[in-house]
Amino acid sequence: GTLLEQAKAAVTVASASADEARADVKKAEAQADFDAANLKRYEEMFKGGAITQQDMDRASSAARISAATLETAKKKVASAEAKVTQAEAAVKGAEEGLREAKSQQAEAEADVGRSRAREKGAQSAPERVGVNEAEVRVAGAEVERAKAALRTAELALSYTHVKAPRAGRVTGKSV
């Protein structure tokens, strides 16, 4: 699975271990309480001479062992809880990594989109150049047509002569 899934699984495992360690503490506490109470009874019986030194030593040893077992169980709880905290930190790290990766992915996708837009623009550039070239040719043809019309008008002007029917001066002009 993914790093995040693995981290979440580690939290589950660590939490289960911590729960098991807490249950072991309760069991060890019950045993330690029982052995401590038993030791007190044995001490009273030993003082009264009702039990042997060996019985007294066994009760004392059982009380010390159960007390040590309780301390060990408490340390296991602390260790298991530290592992839970560590696993939860790993989940947070994996989630942050995932957010960062998604952000980078979105940025990369935006870059791809911009690149594709530039590519389309570049691909259509020759078409735009072709359109512009056609417009230039049309404009050039219009200029040539205008020049031809000018030459035609100049030629027509050169054929034009104003002649008076008689020589003389114009004294009056009617329009």
Side-chain angles (χ1 to χ4, degrees):
T2 66
L3 183 61
L4 180 58
E5 291 169 343
Q6 291 172 354
K8 286 181 178 181
V11 168
T12 302
V13 169
S15 294
S17 293
D19 290 342
E20 185 179 339
R22 286 185 202 97
D24 288 345
V25 165
K26 289 185 183 218
K27 179 181 171 185
E29 283 174 341
Q31 186 65 47
D33 289 346
F34 175 78
D35 288 342
N38 215 18
L39 179 60
K40 283 187 180 187
R41 283 191 297 277
Y42 274 61
E43 286 172 346
E44 292 300 317
M45 288 190 284
F46 182 70
K47 286 179 188 173
I51 60 167
T52 65
Q53 180 67 45
Q54 184 178 10
D55 291 333
M56 182 62 200
D57 290 344
R58 265 191 239 135
S60 178
S61 178
R64 284 194 313 274
I65 289 171
S66 60
T69 301
L70 176 60
E71 286 306 309
T72 300
K74 287 179 180 179
K75 288 179 182 176
K76 285 182 182 178
V77 167
S79 174
E81 288 174 345
K83 287 180 183 176
V84 169
T85 301
Q86 183 180 17
E88 288 171 342
V91 167
K92 287 181 183 176
E95 288 171 341
E96 181 59 34
L98 181 60
R99 278 192 295 278
E100 179 66 25
K102 284 181 179 180
S103 172
Q104 289 174 354
Q105 179 184 10
E107 189 176 319
E109 287 172 353
D111 287 345
V112 166
R114 286 190 292 274
S115 294
R116 285 187 177 150
R118 283 193 299 272
E119 178 186 23
K120 276 188 177 178
Q123 288 173 348
S124 68
E127 294 167 6
R128 286 194 311 267
V129 168
V131 167
N132 289 341
E133 287 175 353
E135 289 173 353
V136 167
R137 284 192 301 271
V138 167
E142 287 176 7
V143 167
E144 290 302 315
R145 185 180 56 83
K147 284 180 181 178
L150 177 61
R151 285 190 300 272
T152 301
E154 287 172 343
L155 182 62
L157 179 62
S158 73
Y159 293 143
T160 306
H161 293 304
V162 177
K163 291 187 178 184
R166 294 192 272 276
R169 283 187 193 209
V170 176
T171 57
K173 177 165 118 170
S174 342
V175 179

